[in-house]
């Protein structure tokens, strides 16, 4: 199963455009990332520029509306994420605990939805089921 | 190990999953015996299960397990030595062990554990062991799976796997298999054995040879984790990247190759929007690593290159079949096998028409290694179907259905047989 470890650094909601973590923190984080990689559990990771460089698109009233960052109402924002593949939620938690996080940082762990988690109607919608059914078994190879 | 569902026990299980291979590898270097190393690691796990629910999970659970296990290892060595040897030998040996147990820095320690892990990989996949023993031992020692989990994955009983592991550990001890990474010419052969074991695990998950499920994704994930780990341990070996690339790209199709009721969906019928682009990207970059290491011509890299051709095609019709035929030609020269020839026949039929492909497939019917191989009948059935030789096609699909041990696959084949009626 896959989990996202979402890094939420307190204070990042007001960070200036281009603000970067300091070299020491990056170095510690690189070691950590390496340990995930070495264990074969890391699928992807990225750090995100501060929200002051981003934008939000909302759909209130059924119409898209764009707001440039920073976002006054946001109490928590993402600073980055890791995508890992592990055996259990507990293993994801154990990996998160090993992160050299700063006192202002929180990691939220969220399981990635798999097709098998969905009810039948959602599965059908996702699979383009009818079209597939019609073609199924006409060809070979695997 | 029976673990109840309390939070601490679940945390211990998670720590075990992450740490057991490193633990066993380090202990194996001290003990020079993989079996004893595994027992000591288990002892440390039992100690954690007894103590942590009372004392709480330590801040650094990995270090706790390692310290506990090493302490016991040195204790055992001391007792063993007391029986057999003079005091000065004993002192020297223990000093050596302690030295081995205490590297100079954290980075050195990491490097050392990496070396030990690689030794453990080669030991668990040693050719002195039968294939099923290598598979079980690898999942147990390196994958951190319990006996029960391995048994479930391979649809056999727990005592069967437990026995297999006990025998394997004994066989390693009897053969005095050294705890080391092979060198020189031996390395290539032994590495091939390691890769074979990992790919076998993957394939059993990807296309279960028996049972009611077409796939067992847990095993694919275990194999991928082992492969990715191995690529970190042996970064100079192109075929490791070739295998990782092959597995990543094949795994990218997992969601698309099973239908709503669990039936298999074949490659060209899959909804490519459901292929996992993250895994495809990972696979393509692993393949690029293999190629950068001059490994484009290795058997796993070639298979990965074929998988990559499919991954790059946005629709089935865009598949570059002549290029795939080219890869199969090279694969057939490098590692000739009837199964490769059969796959080549399929690619040829797609590139140059079903009649050409069928001629190649027909030539394989007298191949003893393929007697009873259901894919041969399935391929012939498909090609005969395309040539509108429906009676023969039907007979081939029915033969294939009778030969497969996977019920999902059997249903698909029988369904195809039932459609072989003149329009």
């Amino acid at each position: 199963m896959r989990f996202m470890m979402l890094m939420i650094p307190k204070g990042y909601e007001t960070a200036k455009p281009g603000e970067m973590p300091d070299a020491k923190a990056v170095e510690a984080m690189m070691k950590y990332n390496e340990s995930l990689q070495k264990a074969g559990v890391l699928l992807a990771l990225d750090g995100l520029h501060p929200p002051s460089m981003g934008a939000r698109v909302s759909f209130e009233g059924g119409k898209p509306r764009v707001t440039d960052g920073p976002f006054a109402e946001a109490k928590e924002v993402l600073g980055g994420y890791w995508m890992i593949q592990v055996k259990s939620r507990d293993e994801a938690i154990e990996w998160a605990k090993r992160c050299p996080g700063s006192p202002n940082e929180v990691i939220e762990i969220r399981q990635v939805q798999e097709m098998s988690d969905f009810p039948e109607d959602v599965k059908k919608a996702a699979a383009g089921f009818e079209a597939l059914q019609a073609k199924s078994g006409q060809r070979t190879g695997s | 190990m029976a673990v109840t569902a309390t939070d601490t026990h679940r945390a211990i299980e998670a720590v075990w999953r992450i740490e057991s291979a490193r633990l066993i590898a380090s202990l194996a270097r001290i003990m020079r015996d993989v079996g004893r190393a595994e027992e000591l690691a288990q002892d440390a796990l039992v100690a954690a299960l007894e103590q942590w629910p009372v004392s709480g999970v330590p801040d650094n659970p990995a270090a706790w397990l390692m310290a506990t296990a090493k302490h016991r290892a040195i204790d055992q060595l001391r007792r063993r030595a007391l029986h057999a040897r003079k005091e000065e030998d004993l002192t020297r040996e223990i000093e050596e062990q302690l030295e081995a147990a205490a590297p100079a820095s954290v980075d050195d320690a990491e490097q050392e554990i990496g070396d030990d892990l690689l030794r453990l990989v080669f030991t668990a996949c040693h050719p002195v062991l039968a294939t099923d023993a290598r598979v079980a031992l690898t999942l147990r020692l390196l994958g951190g799976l319990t006996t029960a989990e391995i048994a479930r994955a391979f649809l056999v009983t727990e005592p069967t796997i437990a026995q297999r592991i006990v025998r394997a550990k004994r066989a390693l001890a009897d053969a005095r298999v050294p705890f080391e990474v092979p060198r020189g010419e031996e390395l290539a052969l032994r590495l091939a054995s390691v890769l074979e074991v990992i790919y076998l695990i993957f394939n059993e998950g990807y296309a279960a040879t028996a049972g009611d499920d077409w796939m067992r994704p847990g095993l694919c994930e275990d194999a991928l984790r082992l492969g990715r780990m191995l690529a970190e341990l042996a970064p100079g070996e192109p075929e490791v990247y070739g295998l990782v690339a092959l597995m990543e790209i094949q795994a990218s199709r997992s969601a698309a190759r099973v239908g709503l009721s669990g039936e298999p969906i074949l490659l060209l019928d899959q909804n490519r929007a459901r292929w996992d682009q993250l895994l495809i990207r990972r696979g393509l970059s692993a393949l690029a690593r293999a190629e950068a290491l001059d490994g484009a011509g290795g058997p796993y890299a070639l298979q990965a290159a074929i998988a990559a051709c499919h991954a790059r095609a946005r629709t089935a019709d865009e598949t570059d079949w002549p290029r795939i035929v080219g890869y199969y030609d090279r694969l057939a020269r490098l590692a000739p096998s009837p199964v490769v020839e059969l796959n080549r026949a399929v690619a040829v039929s797609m590139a140059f028409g079903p009649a050409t492909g069928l001629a190649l497939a027909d030539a394989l019917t007298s191949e003893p290694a393929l007697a009873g191989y259901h894919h041969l009948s399935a391929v012939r059935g498909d090609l005969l179907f395309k040539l509108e030789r429906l009676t023969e096609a039907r007979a081939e699909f029915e033969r294939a259905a009778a030969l497969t041990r996977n019920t999902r696959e059997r249903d698909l084949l029988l369904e195809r047989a039932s459609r072989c009626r003149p329009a």
Side-chain angles (χ1 to χ4, degrees):
Chain A
M1 48 179 80
R2 289 182 187 183
F3 286 84
M4 281 273 225
M5 298 196 294
L6 303 165
M7 173 58 96
I8 304 168
K10 195 70 199 146
Y12 208 49
E13 60 278 1
T14 57
K16 294 194 170 57
E19 192 174 299
M20 290 287 170
D22 69 81
K24 221 175 170 67
V26 170
E27 197 190 325
M29 209 52 92
M30 287 298 290
K31 279 243 155 71
Y32 173 65
N33 296 341
E34 221 171 83
S35 72
L36 292 169
Q37 170 102 355
K38 279 186 177 163
V41 298
L42 182 65
L43 293 183
L45 82 171
D46 281 300
L48 303 176
H49 281 300
S52 51
M53 294 168 72
R56 284 190 168 185
V57 180
S58 55
F59 298 90
E60 208 178 333
K63 271 192 175 166
R65 196 172 71 91
V66 180
T67 318
D68 283 326
F71 317 110
E73 72 282 12
K75 291 199 186 70
E76 291 184 332
V77 298
L78 290 177
Y81 71 90
W82 295 262
M83 171 91 90
I84 58 171
Q85 187 151 45
V86 292
K87 279 277 177 185
S88 64
R89 179 175 173 274
D90 295 288
E91 194 189 340
I93 292 172
E94 181 57 33
W95 280 114
K97 281 163 73 179
R98 296 174 180 215
C99 179
S102 307
N104 66 314
E105 291 176 323
V106 173
I107 293 177
E108 185 170 312
I109 293 158
R110 304 276 296 274
Q111 190 179 348
V112 176
Q113 288 172 334
E114 309 275 346
M115 198 50 70
S116 53
D117 302 330
F118 290 123
E120 289 299 306
D121 57 331
V122 180
K123 278 188 202 167
K124 278 188 191 174
F129 182 65
E130 253 74 17
L132 266 181
Q133 199 59 340
K135 285 201 305 177
S136 170
Q138 301 290 323
R139 292 173 171 137
T140 192
S142 69
Chain B
M1 179 63 36
V3 178
T4 63
T6 68
D7 285 350
T8 310
H9 282 190
R10 295 212 326 259
I12 293 171
E13 229 177 329
V15 171
W16 179 254
R17 177 82 63 190
I18 297 170
E19 295 301 330
S20 61
R22 295 158 59 90
L23 205 53
I24 294 166
S26 300
L27 293 165
R29 177 169 38 82
I30 299 174
M31 304 304 290
R32 301 275 148 201
D33 182 326
V34 169
R36 276 179 193 280
E38 205 239 355
E39 285 158 21
L40 283 163
Q42 286 289 336
D43 289 348
L45 175 65
V46 170
L49 286 167
E50 284 166 3
Q51 294 177 33
W52 294 3
V54 184
S55 63
V57 178
D59 287 343
N60 188 339
W64 189 99
L65 283 173
M66 191 70 95
T68 304
K70 275 188 175 166
H71 184 79
R72 286 169 190 230
I74 289 164
D75 225 43
Q76 249 191 38
L77 286 175
R78 187 178 287 130
R79 259 181 285 136
R80 213 196 304 169
L82 261 177
H83 275 292
R85 284 179 220 168
K86 288 187 299 188
E87 190 69 21
E88 71 193 85
D89 287 347
L90 164 67
T91 311
R92 194 181 336 117
E93 177 169 338
I94 304 241
E95 273 167 3
E96 275 170 21
Q97 306 305 347
L98 284 170
E99 209 174 301
S105 73
V106 178
D107 285 345
D108 288 354
E110 271 307 307
Q111 177 64 40
E112 195 171 85
I113 288 178
D115 295 346
D116 290 340
L117 277 170
L118 195 54
R119 293 183 185 113
L120 187 60
V121 171
F122 278 107
T123 308
C125 297
H126 197 281
V128 74
L129 303 173
T131 307
D132 57 359
R134 279 184 255 165
V135 165
L137 206 56
T138 300
L139 285 172
R140 170 80 180 202
L141 299 182
L142 288 141
L145 269 68
T146 63
T147 307
E149 284 169 326
I150 301 170
R152 261 202 310 282
F154 286 92
L155 310 178
V156 295
T157 65
E158 212 176 316
T160 305
I161 293 293
Q163 272 238 330
R164 202 174 283 171
I165 289 171
V166 168
R167 285 208 194 108
K169 289 194 288 197
R170 199 181 305 143
L172 288 175
D174 289 348
R176 297 181 187 280
V177 168
F179 188 64
E180 64 186 22
V181 175
R183 288 170 195 280
E185 278 175 33
E186 209 199 337
L187 177 63
L189 277 173
R190 295 277 305 276
L191 186 63
S193 168
V194 172
L195 300 179
E196 183 196 6
V197 167
I198 295 176
Y199 196 41
L200 260 171
I201 295 169
F202 182 85
N203 268 325
E204 189 52 34
Y206 197 65
T209 49
D212 294 334
D213 296 316
W214 164 239
M215 284 190 69
R216 290 201 282 280
L219 275 178
C220 292
E221 289 181 14
D222 288 325
L224 266 164
R225 186 162 172 167
L226 288 168
R228 291 168 186 149
M229 197 173 101
L230 184 60
E232 292 294 314
L233 294 172
E237 294 296 336
E239 273 292 87
V240 178
Y241 288 105
L243 173 61
V244 169
L246 176 61
M247 293 193 298
E248 301 268 17
I249 297 175
Q250 289 187 326
S252 77
R253 304 179 201 136
S254 297
R257 65 197 289 278
V258 186
L260 277 182
S261 40
E263 77 282 11
I265 298 176
L266 302 176
L267 177 63
L268 299 178
D269 300 321
Q270 290 168 13
N271 178 353
R272 292 177 185 226
R274 296 191 57 205
W275 287 359
D276 187 322
Q277 293 301 320
L278 172 59
L279 293 185
I280 288 177
R281 256 197 327 275
R282 292 181 57 89
L284 294 178
S285 88
L287 180 57
R289 286 288 284 274
E291 287 164 352
L293 290 166
D294 279 335
Y300 286 107
L302 282 172
Q303 293 175 75
I306 293 167
C309 280
H310 293 300
R312 288 194 188 101
R314 279 171 305 168
T315 65
D317 293 338
E318 279 180 33
T319 311
D320 188 347
W321 288 107
R323 186 168 170 188
I324 292 176
V325 170
Y327 287 130
Y328 273 121
D329 287 345
R330 289 169 69 186
L331 195 57
R333 278 196 300 273
L334 188 69
S337 98
V339 174
V340 170
E341 289 299 335
L342 180 59
N343 286 321
R344 191 172 153 268
V346 173
V348 165
S349 80
M350 296 303 293
F352 310 113
T356 325
L358 184 62
L360 294 174
D362 284 348
L364 293 169
T365 51
S366 56
E367 180 62 57
L370 293 185
Y373 186 58
H374 67 279
H375 279 305
L376 175 56
S377 295
V379 165
R380 295 190 68 233
D382 181 66
L383 297 176
L384 289 163
F385 181 85
K386 284 175 177 158
L387 293 166
E388 293 178 25
R389 290 160 61 179
L390 298 181
T391 316
E392 292 159 275
R394 185 187 181 104
E396 285 300 328
F397 283 132
E398 281 168 354
R399 192 200 313 266
L403 288 171
T404 181
R405 291 193 296 138
N406 185 292
T407 48
R408 294 300 190 178
E409 202 169 21
R410 184 178 308 140
D411 294 345
L412 175 79
L413 289 162
L414 288 175
E415 193 259 332
R416 296 205 63 190
S418 73
R419 278 195 280 120
C420 294
R421 281 186 219 95

